[in-house]
Every structure is written in structure tokens, then in C-alpha cells.
């Protein structure tokens, strides 16, 4: 009862508001949810999940693969526009951790059932120690835990950072160089198949680094992100 009363008091003083339109009532209102730019599975690349890549993908074709790491197979829920960016920023940088449940539920709906039956566990791209100190939580861990709950799999920290810098201010080539060899997966022994979760696919370098770390431990991975640039 005290917890219920405290929640009621907090909701009265600081009502839950939509991350996009600021209307009170929910973290993401129905109108804004319907207006998001969802990636169409039937138009997306079947390999890397890039929007509009079903016939000719400009993200993972043979020429592109020579110049950047390839993270595949991968699926994403939204195109990374201003609305998706606002949701991610509110979740990661404004302390609204409850949005992780909303994002995870949306991600779970785009994952093929065959992936869920294939996987043994869910893992995630760990945030840098600096990012965890700045935000007060590991956004990837919370998101992966919520996603794992949605799909009925355990969430296990299999990968760890090995000194990579924050990616947000880096360009494509810088991201690839920053990530190369920057992850290790010492706890992946005993796992053969996992789903790795992240919030945003930008160049794919981070996810490719995670895949490489897992592959070195003979663990195959499939990738799911909330949004894709």
C-alpha cells in the first residue's frame, strides 16, 4: 500500500507524459506511436535489415562490405528520424528508464519467431563506464532485460568493453577503428546462439565488433536494434 500511495502521489505531482508530444497519460501515446516511421519487413534488406534494401542494399552489398564491418543478420524497428531520436534521448539521457519497456515491446514485434526458438539467450552491447557514470544506469542492459522478458529468454552479460571511447562524436571510419578489437566475450563460453540487442544501428561498427567478440568464442549471434540510421 505505501508503494501504491507513493506511485499515486508521484503521478499526481509529475504525471507521465508522452516522450514526443508531451501529452499526459502514457510514455508514448497512441497517436505518436502510429505516426512513427516503422521499417517495413518486406522492403528491408533480408541480410542487414537496412530500410528499402530488399532488392539492392546499399549498406551490405559487396562494395560496401569492403569499406566497413558487416553486422548481420540484423533487424530494426524504426528508421532513425527526429521522433526515434527523441525517444532514445529521453530514455538514455533524460532518465526515463520506463521507456525501455516500451522500446523493447516494439522490438520484440519485429523479431522473427524462428530467431526466438533458435536463441539460447539475449545479450547486449555494454555501455562504456563513462556513459554509465553519466547516466546512472547501463541503458543497453535495461533495454536488453526488457526485451528478454518480452521474448521469454534469459538476459546474460556475455560481452565486456575493452577500452573503446564513446561512439557518438565519431565518423564512420573512426567508429570502425575505435571498435576494432574493443570487445571481448569471456563469459560466452557454453553459448552457441544468442540475440544481441542495442538501441541504434548507426554504421554497424559496434554490432560488428560484438559479433566478432562472440564469434571468437564460437558463439553465433543475431542482432536487434530499436532504430536504424
Amino acid at each position: 500500500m505505501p508503494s501504491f500511495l507513493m506511485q499515486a502521489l508521484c503521478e499526481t505531482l509529475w504525471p507521465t507524459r508522452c516522450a514526443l508530444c508531451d501529452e499526459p497519460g502514457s510514455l508514448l501515446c497512441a497517436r505518436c506511436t502510429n505516426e512513427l516511421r516503422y521499417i517495413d519487413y518486406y522492403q528491408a534488406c533480408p541480410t542487414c535489415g537496412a530500410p528499402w534494401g530488399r532488392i539492392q542494399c546499399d549498406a551490405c552489398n559487396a562494395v560496401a562490405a569492403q569499406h566497413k564491418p558487416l553486422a548481420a543478420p540484423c533487424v530494426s524497428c524504426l528508421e532513425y528520424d527526429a521522433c526515434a531520436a527523441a525517444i532514445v534521448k529521453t530514455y538514455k539521457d533524460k532518465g526515463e528508464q520506463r521507456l525501455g519497456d516500451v522500446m523493447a515491446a516494439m522490438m520484440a514485434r519485429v523479431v522473427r519467431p524462428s530467431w526466438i526458438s533458435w536463441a539460447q539467450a539475449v545479450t547486449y552491447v555494454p555501455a562504456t563506464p563513462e556513459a554509465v557514470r553519466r547516466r546512472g544506469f547501463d541503458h543497453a542492459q535495461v533495454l536488453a532485460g526488457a526485451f528478454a522478458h518480452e521474448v521469454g529468454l534469459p538476459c546474460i552479460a556475455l560481452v565486456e568493453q575493452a577500452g573503446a571511447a564513446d561512439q557518438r562524436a565519431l565518423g564512420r571510419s573512426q567508429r570502425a577503428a575505435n571498435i576494432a578489437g574493443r570487445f571481448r566475450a569471456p563469459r560466452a563460453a557454453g553459448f552457441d546462439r544468442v540475440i544481441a540487442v542495442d538501441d541504434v544501428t548507426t554504421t554497424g561498427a559496434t554490432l560488428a565488433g560484438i559479433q566478432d567478440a562472440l564469434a571468437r568464442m564460437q558463439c553465433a549471434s543475431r542482432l536487434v536494434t530499436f532504430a536504424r540510421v
Side-chain angles (χ1 to χ4, degrees):
M1 182 63 71
S3 176
F4 171 78
L5 292 176
M6 182 59 70
Q7 291 179 17
L9 177 61
C10 290
E11 194 63 32
T12 300
L13 296 176
W14 304 285
T16 297
R17 293 182 177 275
C18 176
L20 297 180
C21 70
D22 206 38
E23 285 292 320
S26 62
L27 292 165
L28 197 60
C29 72
R31 179 174 61 84
C32 289
T33 299
N34 290 334
E35 293 177 356
L36 292 171
R37 292 179 61 184
Y38 295 93
I39 293 177
D40 185 346
Y41 170 82
Y42 295 101
Q43 298 293 337
C45 174
T47 300
C48 74
W52 316 111
R54 173 66 62 173
I55 298 175
Q56 178 64 45
C57 183
D58 63 354
C60 71
N61 60 58
V63 174
Q66 295 176 5
H67 301 283
K68 65 179 181 179
L70 176 61
C74 181
V75 295
S76 303
C77 184
L78 302 178
E79 294 186 45
Y80 191 75
D81 61 0
C83 291
I87 294 171
V88 172
K89 183 175 179 60
T90 300
Y91 168 61
K92 290 170 62 171
D93 298 323
K94 295 185 178 180
E96 185 50 89
Q97 295 186 40
R98 295 178 300 169
L99 268 175
D101 292 334
V102 178
M103 296 163 65
M106 295 169 67
M107 293 162 63
R109 288 195 290 270
V110 303
V111 177
R112 304 161 202 170
S114 60
W115 284 25
I116 307 304
S117 59
W118 170 86
Q120 297 168 314
V122 172
T123 192
Y124 54 91
V125 179
T128 63
E130 294 78 10
V132 173
R133 285 193 293 269
R134 183 175 66 248
R135 297 180 178 124
F137 74 111
D138 187 327
H139 70 281
Q141 182 181 28
V142 173
L143 182 62
F147 174 82
H149 177 75
E150 288 285 338
V151 300
L153 290 171
C155 181
I156 304 174
L158 301 178
V159 182
E160 60 186 32
Q161 290 276 359
D166 195 308
Q167 293 277 85
R168 292 184 294 177
L170 303 181
R172 181 181 295 275
S173 61
Q174 292 172 312
R175 284 173 179 257
N178 180 50
I179 288 300
R182 297 291 187 168
F183 294 108
R184 52 178 177 257
R187 292 182 292 276
F191 289 90
D192 300 317
R193 305 175 303 279
V194 300
I195 294 175
V197 169
D198 200 7
D199 57 342
V200 178
T201 303
T202 304
T203 66
T206 297
L207 292 172
I210 293 292
Q211 278 196 316
D212 181 62
L214 291 166
R216 290 197 297 270
M217 299 300 293
Q218 289 76 52
C219 180
S221 57
R222 296 177 180 178
L223 311 164
V224 182
T225 67
F226 176 66
R228 184 186 183 100
V229 175

